[in-house]
Amino acid sequence: LSMCSKLCYAIGGAPNQVAGSAASFFLQIYLLDIAHITPFHASLVLFIGKASGAVTDPVAGFFISKSKWTKIGRLMPWVLACTPFTIVSYFLMWYLPPFVSGRVAWYLTFHCLFQALTTLFQVPYSALTMFLSTDQKDRDSATAYRMTMEVLGTLIGAALQGQIVASAHVSPHCTVNPSVNTTDSWHDTPSIPDPSDALSHQAKVYMIAAGVIAGVYLLGIVVLFLGVKERDDPYALNSDRAIPFCKGLALTMKHGPYVKLTASFLLISTAVQLEQGNFVLFCTHAAGLRNHFQYLVVTILVSAVVSVPFWQKFLQRFGKKCAACGISWMIPFAVMLVTIPNLILAYFVAFVSGLSIAASLLLPWSMLPDVVDNFRLQNPHGKGHETIFYSSYVFFTKMSAGIGLGISAAGLEFTGYKPGICRQSDDVILTLKLLIGAVPAILILLGLFILLFYPITEESRNETKLALEELR
């Protein structure tokens, strides 16, 4: 693979991460403090939206696995077809409708639509890794390029969104008059004015951010289409038949390496989603860092971007399972931030968290092709199983993340979160601390424990590579 092809492939995945990052960090606080819907309804929007994207994964995998080869490939037409609808649904997801009673239905509709359409993009795009090259080093290198650009896309999304919408969450009422910042001020004038119509400042800045990110989305897809050539299955014989989707799904669920990999990163990705979804709320309401949250988010993501090449070199030298230890680095520092909310410590925690997030993003997508190769060796006369692996993996991780975000928002409802006030109750602050510190720590430790039993080693990878070359 040429560097240009790998770079164009990587750029194609960035727009999804730009949009997803903005939603991960800011959608929950937008629904609570700008749209002024209750935490319970926000939890429904977050959970059902993620669930709709998760349910779309196996459906997308089913139809894509039945797709026929075209002049531009079998996967590329799906990527191109869903892009315009994805852009429109993303913009409307951040639009504040003039009516109040139907806002929950509005956001639920467009969040579900956006999640479903990004799935129709993500499944063929991620499976495209297997059709770029037959060489494991080429695929690992393309994955590293992709992860670097996706983390950079996550940085761009959070930075653009954070800088554009920061003024919607800064309140002189809370910073100039700290005397009202008490737990007794439940009925004070809200620190953030109620944006009763779509022309309010808060609504405008969110729409501007959505328009900018939609433009980035379009640019990335054009680069992917012009710079990447999809290849047909190089191992398939003329006599080989495509594995039926249901049979293929049953076989993947029985494949030991895949089950262990999915279970491990299901827990780890849920922990990362909880960190992202509640970090801005934590900084705003629990840590006294209301005026620094956008810079802390940028610090996390800059750290993640610059560390992806380091993790790529690390896993090449010491192995992929060994590199997973880096995911645990965020645990002690996150606990320190929760117990000692200091500004300097917060930036240090943000930097270390970025290192861990980079490892958690790179490793599963680097390990999944090894699992697919291992399955191919055990089932040499079947083809078309790649999209089944990728779609079901994304299904499980999205569903778990949706459940985690839904439960966290419901927890805020239960403990009495109120939008627009300067100081939340002690129960809400405790809940935010648990969602940033204890809960992600437990999920990461469980995920890493399961990964200990993942059977594919560097030695077995090389054996599989040689065996597949013989088959080819």
Side-chain angles (χ1 to χ4, degrees), residues 73-90:
R74 186 163 60 92
L75 302 173
M76 194 66 76
W78 287 88
V79 172
L80 296 178
C82 66
T83 297
F85 302 102
T86 306
I87 292 172
V88 172
S89 64
Y90 179 79

Side-chain angles (χ1 to χ4, degrees), residues 1-18 76 121-122 125-126 128-129 132 138-154 156 216-217 219-221 223-225 227-229 308:
L1 277 178
S2 67
M3 182 183 292
C4 180
S5 293
K6 287 187 266 191
L7 192 59
C8 289
Y9 173 65
I11 290 173
N16 235 17
Q17 302 305 315
V18 171
M76 194 66 76
F121 169 89
Q122 189 67 29
Y125 172 77
S126 55
L128 192 59
T129 309
L132 297 176
D138 264 349
R139 291 200 311 247
D140 283 349
S141 177
T143 300
Y145 271 78
R146 172 191 159 195
M147 286 299 106
T148 303
M149 289 305 301
E150 287 195 355
V151 176
L152 183 60
T154 304
I156 291 170
V216 173
Y217 212 112
L219 180 63
I221 301 304
V223 172
L224 174 68
F225 174 67
V228 175
K229 182 180 180 182
V308 168

Side-chain angles (χ1 to χ4, degrees), residues 215-243:
V216 173
Y217 212 112
L218 186 60
L219 180 63
I221 301 304
V222 170
V223 172
L224 174 68
F225 174 67
L226 296 178
V228 175
K229 182 180 180 182
E230 181 184 345
R231 302 178 183 180
D232 205 355
D233 189 342
Y235 298 114
L237 304 174
N238 291 332
S239 59
D240 290 349
R241 294 184 176 182
I243 300 175

